[in-house]
Amino acid sequence: MEYSAPPEDVTFSGLLFDMDGTIIDSTSAVVKHWHTVGNEIGVDPEVILQTSHGRRSIDMLKVLCPEKANWEYVKHMEGLLPKFHGQDAVEIPGARALLDSLIAARAPWAIVTSGTEPLVTGWLEVLSLPHPEHLVTAESVANGKPDPACYELGREKLGLPPTEEKDKVLVLEDSPAGIRSGKAAGCRVLAVVTSHTVEQVAAAEPDWIVQDLRSVKMVECAPGRGVTLRISDGLVRKA
């Protein structure tokens, strides 16, 4: 498998970004934080880390530590992560440039994440990244990824007309759970290989696979004509 697909221009009505692993990489921070939290609540941190990426903390705690599976605890706990470990997070290459171009063109986009609002806003502040006009967080839906509810809500927040075809919305993701969530919502999905192996990402069946967001550039954005992206250096999957 090679990242050598020729450039492809595709037009969408709106874009829905996952956060961790797609816009930022906070892996080191998350590992440190879950070791602290796991030791505090009496759950093996390694067990937490094996199941945490791409999933809501509250869903994981319902299984591993039910007494802590409440929004008050989860929002407080996640809100501490950027404060204590902000220096351990970095941008995914190409993320800032893509977001800046979308904002400059007034293109419709939103962040749809399994993190809570304190976690997301904390990271955006620490890294001085742009805040979206529309945000879907862990608290926004009853069921987390891979359930499609979060991306369905994200699409609604973009204000797209009911007649708009769902596959005109692009989901940008990194985790298999998130990829499956976007696909289940009827959207097209571009996956970055930043947090999982290419084999794990491919198994979730996204429409495109790239190494990071340097492969995604905005070409044009015009009222009534959508957002045209150029997707370059995609993974070529050999038969």
Side-chain angles (χ1 to χ4, degrees):
M1 294 188 288
E2 299 179 349
Y3 294 95
S4 59
E8 179 182 0
D9 289 1
V10 192
T11 300
F12 301 100
S13 302
L15 281 67
L16 301 174
F17 289 81
D18 173 54
M19 180 71 177
D20 201 5
T22 304
I23 295 175
I24 70 165
D25 179 358
S26 66
T27 302
S28 297
V30 169
V31 169
K32 291 178 181 179
H33 191 62
W34 276 123
H35 271 86
T36 300
V37 172
N39 290 329
E40 288 177 354
I41 65 176
V43 178
D44 184 350
E46 293 303 323
V47 173
I48 295 175
L49 290 167
Q50 288 169 10
T51 58
S52 63
H53 195 89
R55 297 180 61 204
R56 300 187 305 175
S57 296
I58 198 163
D59 294 330
M60 182 181 56
L61 289 171
K62 285 176 182 177
V63 176
L64 299 178
C65 188
E67 62 271 22
K68 295 294 187 182
N70 62 79
W71 286 120
E72 181 180 7
Y73 173 76
V74 171
K75 290 169 71 173
H76 171 73
M77 177 268 291
E78 289 195 354
L80 295 176
L81 206 165
K83 294 180 181 179
F84 291 163
H85 304 292
Q87 72 281 2
D88 292 308
V90 297
E91 299 170 21
I92 295 296
R96 184 185 295 272
L98 178 57
L99 293 178
D100 285 347
S101 67
L102 294 171
I103 292 168
R106 299 189 177 184
W109 69 284
I111 289 177
V112 178
T113 175
S114 295
T116 58
E117 187 169 356
L119 177 64
V120 178
T121 56
W123 280 132
L124 294 176
E125 291 292 335
V126 166
L127 293 171
S128 298
L129 284 162
H131 288 247
E133 181 180 354
H134 307 291
L135 178 63
V136 177
T137 61
E139 311 97 302
S140 304
V141 292
N143 298 308
K145 301 172 185 177
D147 190 277
C150 58
Y151 281 116
E152 291 172 345
L153 179 57
R155 185 180 175 282
E156 291 177 18
K157 282 181 174 284
L158 291 184
L160 299 177
T163 55
E164 192 78 30
E165 296 178 16
K166 289 184 178 180
D167 65 3
K168 293 294 186 181
V169 175
L170 179 67
V171 164
L172 298 95
E173 264 285 358
D174 70 298
S175 73
I179 294 166
R180 293 188 176 100
S181 174
K183 295 295 289 184
C187 304
R188 303 192 80 183
V189 179
L190 179 140
V192 292
V193 184
T194 56
S195 62
H196 292 74
T197 67
V198 65
E199 290 80 12
Q200 290 171 322
V201 169
E205 300 184 346
D207 298 280
W208 297 272
I209 300 174
V210 296
Q211 290 180 295
D212 56 48
L213 291 180
R214 287 175 293 185
S215 290
V216 185
K217 302 279 195 303
M218 193 191 76
V219 176
E220 181 185 24
C221 178
R225 296 210 301 264
V227 186
T228 300
L229 301 179
R230 180 162 297 152
I231 302 169
S232 306
D233 300 320
L235 184 71
V236 176
R237 287 175 264 190
K238 297 178 180 178

